[in-house]
Amino acid sequence: MLDRCLCGASLIGIPAERIAEDELRLQLAFQGALAGQAQEGAPSLSVAAWITLFHRVAALFDVERETRSGQTPGLHRLDRAIVVNRQLASLLAAWPSGFHRCLGDLQRRAEPSFSLVRTFGRLYRWLYRDFEGDEFAFLREAFEDYLREHWWGLLCRRNRRLGTRTTGSRKTAQAIAAAAGTTPARVRQLHLAGWVEADIAAQPSGRRVWSFPASQVEPLATLISDGLTLQDAAAYLRLSKHRVRELIATGMIKPLLSTEGHGAATWLISRHQLDDLGRAYSARQALVTKEEPPDCVPLVQILKAWRLEAGAFAALLHALQSGVLTPIATRDVENNVLGGLLLPRREVQAWLAHWRESNGRGYSITDAAGILGIKAQVAYHLVRCGFLECTSSPLTQVRRVSRDGIAKFEARYISLVEIAKRSGTSPKQALLRLQIHPAAGPAIDGCRQYFYLRSDVEHLLDQPLQTQESGNAEP
């Protein structure tokens, strides 16, 4: 009877059901095992091995029976058998991608732990107990491939079931620090800063366990060998430490580790980044044919002696980067570092004066002396005596003269030199013929120039002093 099965079920009344190619390929492989024929592109398993695999997959996907032992009931029913066949086909599809996908799902659902048993549960026991034969070697190999690439925990010699190639794929903080030539604390800090890959699992006691991929040894060793402390970075750039901190604050240097942001005891700054910073400015150097360059000053000297206020250093570097200022090239290799750049003195002075004026920062006393047409020593004396107003920053102790202060001084005082020039005589003759007491001068307070109140001499300006003297002598 061709229309009925031996069990009595009708073969004609069963509705047709379409299945996927992977499911059909799996059934053909199983039928091949029953007939003693190997199926190309499918695992070469015996009938008993196929049945074991079907049973274990049925239990693996049965969440309700996860903690219960024994066989999964209902596998004799066609609808249940079709579901199990579909589940096994998804595991074997595009081998080992489907199997790795299943392992990833198990790992994501499990609590973070470095225990393979707690993470993969009974599947881990099945792989090395129920699937011990050579027929299932492909399962164990795929499992260990997944561990080497995706497992977050430590795999050491106590995992005796795993191969030696797998147990060396992860390292503790102590082991990877020793291999990279640094300390475990430094390794953990680099991970928290985002430079090193690692996984952390909290044990029931509250202790945190760290695990690092073995592939991170070489990148970590490169970071450590390339890293400099803040003091070493300052010496490397030929700058002071607070100037390096300025570069960090403005984002021109991005440290690997900092004492503020990462809780490290010492800074870690990339030497390679410092080289790039120096090359970015030295690449704009102007070539000179003379052995000795023109009137130039090193950048480090400007920072030490020119009393730059806050923000001037960063603005100066931006001017160099944009080409507003051009450093001078020399044959000295040390000038290629940032602090050794040679800059044209007059151009930098003009730029600095313009920057201060445009930013409302005022002038240095020396620059104010140049505007007033007097010597710097005289300008310092006028500031000390209160004739020329200035402001001082409590942090930098740098005194600045505002344009308003210069205007007030010119409106109130006039120098003997200017009086003589406007009267058509020499300063010596003007001093002898003026019958007005000076406000400052060598005989008054030790100032090297004489200054008068403009209100006292305003009516005498632009007139010959001879006429003034004869007019004063008539009475």
Side-chain angles (χ1 to χ4, degrees), residues 270-297:
S270 170
R271 188 195 313 265
H272 182 71
Q273 187 180 160
L274 300 184
D275 290 337
D276 291 342
L277 183 65
R279 282 193 290 266
Y281 297 108
S282 60
R284 296 182 175 273
Q285 289 176 333
L287 298 177
V288 293
T289 57
K290 300 179 181 179
E291 290 294 329
E292 292 294 332
D295 185 19
C296 293
V297 58

Side-chain angles (χ1 to χ4, degrees), residues 256-277:
L256 304 175
L257 292 177
S258 68
T259 55
E260 290 92 357
H262 307 115
T266 57
W267 292 76
L268 192 65
I269 301 172
S270 170
R271 188 195 313 265
H272 182 71
Q273 187 180 160
L274 300 184
D275 290 337
D276 291 342
L277 183 65

Side-chain angles (χ1 to χ4, degrees), residues 168-432:
S169 60
R170 307 287 298 191
K171 291 183 178 293
T172 62
Q174 290 78 8
I176 198 170
T182 185
T183 62
R186 183 66 90 187
V187 173
R188 295 188 186 98
Q189 290 162 0
L190 286 171
H191 164 68
L192 295 176
W195 296 104
V196 177
E197 294 181 17
D199 291 293
I200 308 172
Q203 295 185 342
S205 62
R207 178 173 173 265
R208 296 198 307 171
V209 182
W210 294 65
S211 168
F212 297 83
S215 60
Q216 293 295 296
V217 173
E218 185 175 351
L220 179 60
T222 302
L223 288 174
I224 296 301
S225 61
D226 185 53
L228 297 173
T229 64
L230 183 65
Q231 184 173 354
D232 293 337
Y236 190 77
L237 292 175
R238 294 180 60 189
L239 298 173
S240 60
K241 289 195 292 185
H242 81 274
R243 293 300 182 186
V244 178
R245 287 179 182 272
E246 269 192 77
L247 295 175
I248 294 173
T250 56
M252 295 181 183
I253 294 178
K254 297 181 180 179
L256 304 175
L257 292 177
S258 68
T259 55
E260 290 92 357
H262 307 115
T266 57
W267 292 76
L268 192 65
I269 301 172
S270 170
R271 188 195 313 265
H272 182 71
Q273 187 180 160
L274 300 184
D275 290 337
D276 291 342
L277 183 65
R279 282 193 290 266
Y281 297 108
S282 60
R284 296 182 175 273
Q285 289 176 333
L287 298 177
V288 293
T289 57
K290 300 179 181 179
E291 290 294 329
E292 292 294 332
D295 185 19
C296 293
V297 58
L299 177 60
V300 63
Q301 186 64 26
I302 294 175
L303 299 177
K304 285 182 179 179
W306 286 27
R307 295 180 176 269
L308 300 182
E309 56 271 77
F313 179 36
L316 178 59
L317 292 182
H318 284 303
L320 289 171
Q321 192 173 20
S322 61
V324 175
L325 294 174
T326 305
I328 305 299
T330 63
R331 297 177 182 178
D332 190 356
V333 179
E334 292 186 357
N335 291 337
N336 291 329
V337 299
L338 188 59
L341 291 179
L342 286 178
L343 304 178
R345 185 188 303 271
R346 293 183 179 179
E347 291 183 17
V348 176
Q349 288 174 339
W351 171 87
L352 188 58
H354 175 72
W355 179 82
R356 284 169 175 164
E357 183 179 2
S358 59
N359 288 273
R361 304 300 180 99
Y363 302 94
S364 66
I365 298 177
T366 303
D367 293 337
I371 295 173
L372 292 170
I374 60 179
K375 293 185 177 181
Q377 185 179 356
V378 176
Y380 276 99
H381 181 88
L382 294 174
V383 168
R384 285 195 300 270
C385 295
F387 293 101
L388 182 60
E389 296 179 2
C390 75
T391 58
S392 176
S393 170
L395 297 178
T396 60
Q397 299 298 321
V398 176
R399 291 181 293 181
R400 294 290 171 203
V401 180
S402 65
R403 178 166 289 277
D404 185 54
I406 294 175
K408 286 182 180 179
F409 178 83
E410 290 179 324
R412 188 173 185 185
Y413 300 99
I414 184 170
S415 67
L416 179 63
V417 175
E418 186 178 350
I419 294 174
K421 185 185 297 184
R422 295 177 63 172
S423 301
T425 186
S426 66
K428 186 176 181 180
Q429 291 296 323
L431 180 63
L432 292 174

